[in-house]
């Protein structure tokens, strides 16, 4: 795990993070990893929201639109 990484591995990880920061504005979502539980909850919320997008639910929308009055 990360608690056992040597200084070289830590520096590589930090360099990679700094490179990724340059592109943050291009990301659709940012998940702050301040705690495992909070990050996991944020990730799950994104997944749930994405599955509910109208573009992914055309058949459901169509079924509602075809309900007879």
């Amino acid at each position: 795990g990360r608690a056992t990484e040597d200084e070289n591995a830590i520096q590589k990880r930090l360099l990679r993070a700094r490179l990724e920061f340059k592109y943050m504005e291009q990301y659709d979502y940012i998940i702050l990893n301040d705690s495992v539980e909070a990050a996991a909850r944020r990730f799950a919320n994104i997944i749930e929201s994405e599955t509910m997008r109208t573009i992914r639910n055309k058949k459901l929308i169509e079924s509602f639109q075809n309900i007879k009055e």
Side-chain angles (χ1 to χ4, degrees):
R2 292 184 183 179
T4 60
E5 287 182 330
D6 64 16
E7 184 63 27
N8 186 43
I10 293 169
Q11 291 305 315
K12 284 182 180 179
R13 186 183 300 278
L14 290 173
L15 176 62
R16 174 67 186 211
R18 282 194 287 277
L19 292 172
E20 290 177 2
F21 291 160
K22 293 180 182 181
Y23 302 99
M24 285 178 76
E25 291 180 356
Q26 297 177 23
Y27 299 165
D28 290 324
Y29 302 97
I30 295 174
I31 299 175
L32 180 61
N33 194 5
D34 51 348
S35 76
V36 173
E37 295 81 11
R41 185 183 69 249
R42 292 178 186 117
F43 180 72
N45 289 342
I46 290 168
I47 298 301
E48 182 177 11
S49 296
E50 283 294 318
T51 62
M52 295 171 16
R53 289 176 59 109
T54 55
I55 194 75
R56 291 183 175 84
N57 289 285
K58 295 297 184 187
K59 287 184 180 181
L60 178 63
I61 292 168
E62 191 175 295
S63 69
F64 280 109
Q65 290 172 335
N66 290 330
I67 294 174
K68 304 284 189 230
E69 291 185 33

